[in-house]
Amino acid sequence: MKSFINVEDIGDLRQALAEAQEIKNDRFKYQHLGHNKTLMMIFFNNSLRTRLSTQKAAMNLGMNVIVLDVNAGAWKLETERGVIMDGDKSEHLLEAIPVMGCYCDLIGVRSFAGLTDREYDYAETVLNQFIKYSGRPVFAMETATVHPLQAFADLITIKENPVAAKPRPKVVLTWAPHCRALPQAVPNSFAQWMNADPDVDLVITHPKGYELDPQFVGDACVEYDQRKAFEGADFIYAKNWSNPGVSNLADYGKITCDDRSWTVDTEHMSWTNDAKFMHCLPVRRNLIVTDDVIESPNSLVIPEAANREISCSVVLKRMLEAL
């Protein structure tokens, strides 16, 4: 596996899930693969779970790890070509990237959407520069449009919590309000990975105008009535996203709805089939979800976060095997 960005990159999904269970049973089984190999993790944005889980997964596989915080521990980097660099950015990404590639074997990149230029964000401009110029295998640690390590961990978590006498659980991705404009990366990848699993019945619910890009929605059912979407659900995945600009490009990256009735509370969960609650974290309590729901026995947010180590371990293992 030369790169890991979308669900297609993982290959056979059932095999990948089986491999995840194998690694979970013995996290150090493939430690020999990373001997004398170096992972470079490059962060243009903040991180907690991604940073810790990726570093832990790499260490489990015997790798050396270099972590670079671009905005705190390096020169400010210019990303645009043709720019006269007479401002506060001292180095261009096109020189920095091949230099980084000299010091490592694998590269993980975290670079969020700017939420001002949809074309630029959805072209994955920064990530693709690393793929093109680093000379190393590259994987996404959340990019402008996707967060595949999170979605893979989400699917692992769902598989670990089977619904009795129901071969195809109903999984609902629900928009929820937020005080800041957030990217669409997590919901995009979640929808993409759930669609790739034939044993999942995916429903997406959100206010009108918040439609995700069709390439991620796929054949999922879109229901604008949140209560109707929740009925009979086995898993509720709450996540905010800013306006994707699909219906109106001028709205891209903006908060065009702040309807607090979409906050997931006990009443919302009562509409479900005793559903499990999921969220990628960090979460704004009593805005995305109420205290009683996230603290309930049906909350999977901590096991879900723990599975980030497992999803990353599978990805790194496969990339190391391809070196």
Side-chain angles (χ1 to χ4, degrees):
M1 187 162 62
K2 293 295 185 182
S3 63
F4 177 70
I5 304 168
N6 296 305
V7 68
E8 304 87 49
D9 297 324
I10 204 70
D12 185 276
L13 201 52
R14 296 191 183 201
Q15 184 178 341
L17 289 165
E19 203 165 312
Q21 188 57 57
E22 177 190 23
I23 287 174
K24 198 163 190 177
N25 292 337
D26 184 356
R27 298 171 196 235
F28 305 101
K29 182 176 181 179
Y30 296 101
Q31 196 171 46
H32 62 282
L33 290 175
H35 182 65
N36 288 340
K37 296 293 191 299
T38 298
L39 166 66
M40 182 174 288
M41 300 163 57
I42 302 164
F43 291 90
F44 290 85
N45 301 94
N46 295 337
S47 175
L48 189 151
R49 275 148 298 278
T50 298
R51 179 188 294 261
L52 297 178
S53 62
T54 304
Q55 189 163 356
K56 181 63 166 63
M59 293 167 64
N60 291 351
L61 290 164
M63 300 189 76
N64 303 312
V65 181
I66 299 173
V67 180
L68 178 65
D69 290 296
V70 171
N71 295 321
W75 302 112
K76 288 187 177 180
L77 297 178
E78 178 58 63
T79 59
E80 296 290 336
R81 301 187 72 168
V83 173
I84 297 174
M85 293 176 58
D86 57 358
D88 65 342
K89 295 178 180 177
S90 305
E91 186 163 4
H92 202 287
L93 204 59
L94 296 183
E95 284 78 63
I97 290 173
V99 169
M100 295 176 193
C102 293
Y103 306 142
C104 64
D105 300 283
L106 302 178
I107 295 178
V109 179
R110 184 175 181 91
S111 179
F112 292 173
L115 297 180
T116 57
D117 184 337
R118 190 181 195 279
E119 183 179 357
Y120 180 89
D121 287 344
Y122 274 71
E124 290 290 5
T125 306
V126 173
L127 178 69
N128 284 324
Q129 285 179 335
F130 275 92
I131 293 171
K132 185 174 182 179
Y133 298 112
S134 70
R136 302 297 180 194
V138 175
F139 65 96
M141 299 192 301
E142 186 170 359
T143 70
T145 65
V146 292
H147 197 353
L149 290 172
Q150 179 65 55
F152 188 13
D154 295 334
L155 185 57
I156 292 169
T157 306
I158 288 172
K159 295 299 184 181
E160 290 177 339
N161 291 271
V163 180
K166 199 169 186 181
R168 294 185 78 239
K170 180 179 179 180
V171 178
V172 177
L173 169 62
T174 180
W175 178 91
H178 202 282
C179 54
R180 296 179 57 197
L182 299 183
Q184 299 100 46
V186 169
N188 281 347
S189 278
F190 185 80
Q192 185 185 56
W193 282 71
M194 295 304 116
N195 279 324
D197 188 338
D199 298 326
V200 168
D201 179 15
L202 176 64
V203 176
I204 304 173
T205 185
H206 53 72
K208 289 188 176 180
Y210 270 74
E211 293 80 11
L212 296 171
D213 192 289
Q215 67 176 304
F216 300 108
V217 174
D219 295 327
C221 172
V222 177
E223 174 55 65
Y224 297 105
D225 184 331
Q226 191 185 28
R227 179 164 187 158
K228 185 175 180 181
F230 274 45
E231 289 175 358
D234 303 296
F235 295 89
I236 298 296
Y237 196 103
K239 184 70 180 78
N240 173 267
W241 60 89
S242 61
N243 197 303
V246 172
S247 302
N248 184 357
L249 183 59
D251 288 336
Y252 175 66
K254 296 179 181 178
I255 298 175
T256 54
C257 179
D258 187 26
D259 187 349
R260 300 296 176 91
S261 71
W262 284 75
T263 299
V264 179
D265 58 16
T266 302
E267 181 184 355
H268 284 71
M269 297 301 287
S270 72
W271 304 335
T272 72
N273 181 35
D274 194 30
K276 304 293 186 182
F277 176 81
M278 301 179 69
H279 188 279
C280 62
L281 301 181
V283 65
R284 301 269 183 157
R285 284 182 175 227
N286 303 305
L287 192 57
I288 296 286
V289 58
T290 55
D291 291 331
D292 50 348
V293 171
I294 198 169
E295 294 175 6
S296 76
N298 279 13
S299 175
L300 295 178
V301 296
I302 303 304
E304 186 181 355
N307 277 330
R308 289 294 307 279
E309 176 188 344
I310 306 305
S311 65
C312 189
S313 295
V314 174
V315 170
L316 291 179
K317 170 186 172 290
R318 292 188 171 197
M319 297 187 91
L320 286 168
E321 289 172 334
L323 288 178

